Amino acid sequence: MENRKRKVHLHVMVTPDELAAIHERMAEAGISNAGAYVRKMALNGYILHVDLEPIKELISLQRRCSNNLNQVAVHAHTYGVYPEEIDGLKRDYEKLWGEVSKVLRELSELVQK
């Protein structure tokens, strides 16, 4: 023990499922030494923190568009369709899909990093 480079012991408890997942990832990485793998991940691994605020805005926009579409459908079945309502829906959907495209681009850039 005197000649060991690493003299501090770190003990981590895991469930059997977590241990199986660790072993799977070790195999994927081509590492057979659990201590080396855990040390490598703890020192050089990274955690992704994803800000879902843009997604919440998209959900809100989608709900509004769906509600508007439902109102127009009810109105159309009752009274007929007005072109202004259809134009309004088109504008809402263009805004929605513009936001969806923006979020997808940002996610794509994050994944590529």
Side-chain angles (χ1 to χ4, degrees):
M1 284 286 278
E2 296 284 327
N3 296 330
R4 290 192 93 144
K5 180 179 177 182
R6 296 177 179 92
K7 298 179 182 182
V8 178
H9 179 79
L10 176 65
H11 182 79
V12 178
M13 299 292 291
V14 296
T15 67
D17 290 341
E18 290 171 333
L19 182 60
I22 289 169
H23 284 296
E24 283 178 30
R25 292 196 177 132
M26 285 173 54
E28 289 171 4
I31 299 173
S32 59
N33 182 314
Y37 176 78
V38 171
R39 187 170 40 254
K40 179 76 173 164
M41 290 304 295
L43 294 172
N44 301 322
Y46 59 90
I47 296 173
L48 294 177
H49 174 74
V50 180
D51 179 14
L52 297 178
E53 207 54 45
I55 303 297
K56 291 177 184 176
E57 177 64 21
L58 286 175
I59 291 169
S60 175
L61 286 170
Q62 180 64 41
R63 283 188 182 133
R64 278 188 262 154
C65 287
S66 296
N67 187 41
N68 290 345
L69 183 58
N70 188 45
Q71 289 174 357
V72 168
V74 168
H75 191 279
H77 288 298
T78 306
Y79 305 105
V81 180
Y82 294 107
E84 307 85 45
E85 292 172 335
I86 300 299
D87 290 340
L89 283 173
K90 285 180 183 177
R91 283 192 300 275
D92 287 347
Y93 276 105
E94 285 173 8
K95 181 179 179 184
L96 173 66
W97 287 112
E99 291 296 317
V100 167
S101 296
K102 185 171 110 179
V103 169
L104 291 175
R105 271 193 305 276
E106 289 173 6
L107 288 173
S108 174
E109 290 170 3
L110 284 175
V111 170
Q112 292 176 0
K113 288 183 181 180

